[in-house]
Amino acid sequence: GEHIHLGYYTKEEMEAGYKKKNFIEAKYDFVDEMMKLGGIDLEADSSAKVLDVGCGVGGTSRHIAKKLGPNADVTGITLSPNQVKRATELAEEQGVKNAKFTVMNALEMEFPDNTFDIVWACESGEHMPDKEAYINEMMRVLKPGGKFVMATWCQRDDREVPFTKKDEKDLRFLYEEWTHPYFISIEKYAELIDATGVMNEVTTADWVDETIASWRHSIWVGVYDPRGFIFKPTKYLKCVRDAYCLERMHRAFDRGLMQYGMFAATKKTE
């Protein structure tokens, strides 16, 4: 699909049964809720310059561009030329003229200082081999008074309660299976943001309750379709392997080993 991040489920939707919610709608809801957390206002930010760091195939970038309207300018960056190609094709197909995409390293951005009104990062932090450089670069390209909002997978803070051997084994599996370099805690990200010295107080939250249904919902959508095995058995078996990984991730979030970190802050004007 267009979005490769988790979805958002309200308490009422969870009580009614998460599988009753449209899987794609949950992802759009997530973007809308993340916009609210970041204080992104459809009127006040209607002409904003927006950066989407780690945009994938651009689903979120295009959604933001549509929501803010034609006077906004949204730029998505990714390391993958294939993702840029597909994101651009989809923008053209959907008539989204105010979203563009380019290949760029988020750890060494080519943009001048103070370029963007909004810097957005959704599930890209977990892929970054240098979290400090990742944060520093985003803060650098954000304009004074600009809005920063980020969502990323985090591991719990182990400074007071060290990881057990099982915790360490489970984290190793999650790192290796999906080739993540490492995760850090919500607290550590907040410290990195504070350490830049250019940001006002950061708001943090753990959205594990709002997103945890996504893992098993993905399994139901991606695996429990017999046509997959009949027509594409090799791909289907890969889906089964992915389903096992999704379940492992669900359990890590469910027992508190992993957390879904949310962050919002504005850049100081002085």
Side-chain angles (χ1 to χ4, degrees):
E2 291 198 30
H3 299 268
I4 49 178
H5 56 76
L6 300 190
Y8 187 94
Y9 302 77
T10 65
K11 182 180 178 182
E12 292 74 22
E13 287 167 340
M14 291 294 289
E15 289 171 352
Y18 66 84
K19 284 181 283 184
K20 292 181 180 178
K21 181 164 186 173
N22 181 280
F23 183 64
I24 303 302
E25 179 187 342
K27 295 175 181 290
Y28 284 109
D29 286 351
F30 180 92
V31 178
D32 291 341
E33 293 297 326
M34 186 169 167
M35 288 178 75
K36 290 178 190 175
L37 179 74
I40 299 171
D41 183 89
L42 301 188
E43 292 186 10
D45 296 311
S46 61
S47 59
K49 287 188 68 174
V50 182
L51 176 65
D52 183 1
V53 180
C55 63
V57 294
T60 296
S61 302
R62 289 186 297 277
H63 185 64
I64 294 171
K66 293 173 187 175
K67 295 276 283 191
L68 294 182
N71 292 326
D73 182 72
V74 181
T75 300
I77 64 169
T78 172
L79 282 175
S80 167
N82 288 335
Q83 287 184 339
V84 167
K85 179 175 181 291
R86 185 58 181 148
T88 303
E89 290 171 350
L90 288 168
E92 291 172 355
E93 289 172 14
Q94 296 169 15
V96 185
K97 297 180 180 179
N98 59 328
K100 61 182 182 290
F101 305 91
T102 188
V103 175
M104 193 179 296
N105 181 359
L107 304 183
E108 296 178 344
M109 291 191 222
E110 298 161 26
F111 305 114
D113 295 356
N114 308 323
T115 297
F116 296 95
D117 301 293
I118 297 169
V119 171
W120 175 287
C122 183
E123 295 191 8
S124 53
E126 52 265 37
H127 301 284
M128 299 296 166
D130 186 337
K131 312 301 190 201
E132 184 176 7
Y134 171 63
I135 293 297
N136 288 346
E137 276 294 273
M138 291 191 289
M139 305 303 98
R140 180 183 68 79
V141 301
L142 183 64
K143 290 180 182 178
K147 301 171 183 177
F148 166 70
V149 61
M150 176 175 73
T152 187
W153 306 350
C154 298
Q155 62 192 36
R156 70 168 176 81
D157 192 338
D158 67 327
R159 286 175 287 193
E160 290 189 10
V161 181
F163 292 133
T164 64
K165 288 185 177 179
K166 174 176 170 50
D167 290 339
E168 291 173 348
K169 180 181 177 183
D170 288 347
L171 285 171
R172 260 195 319 274
F173 174 86
L174 299 178
Y175 295 157
E176 294 169 3
E177 191 62 30
W178 283 338
T179 60
H180 292 107
Y182 62 102
F183 307 129
I184 62 175
S185 66
I186 291 173
E187 292 84 356
K188 182 60 179 175
Y189 268 117
E191 289 166 11
L192 289 175
I193 294 167
D194 289 341
T196 65
V198 300
M199 301 298 288
N200 292 311
E201 186 176 357
V202 60
T203 296
T204 66
D206 180 1
W207 278 12
V208 67
D209 290 341
E210 293 86 348
T211 59
I212 194 167
S214 298
W215 302 106
R216 287 180 175 170
H217 206 170
S218 298
I219 295 171
W220 280 98
V221 170
V223 174
Y224 291 94
D225 183 350
R227 292 173 299 175
F229 185 74
I230 295 168
F231 297 111
K232 296 181 179 179
T234 304
K235 276 192 174 181
Y236 184 81
L237 291 173
K238 182 183 181 301
C239 283
V240 172
R241 175 65 185 177
D242 286 344
Y244 173 73
C245 299
L246 290 166
E247 177 61 21
R248 288 284 296 266
M249 190 65 86
H250 170 95
R251 293 183 184 188
F253 275 92
D254 192 43
R255 70 182 178 90
L257 177 60
M258 293 290 292
Q259 299 174 325
Y260 197 91
M262 301 296 302
F263 306 82
T266 56
K267 191 169 183 176
K268 294 176 182 176
T269 53
E270 295 181 357

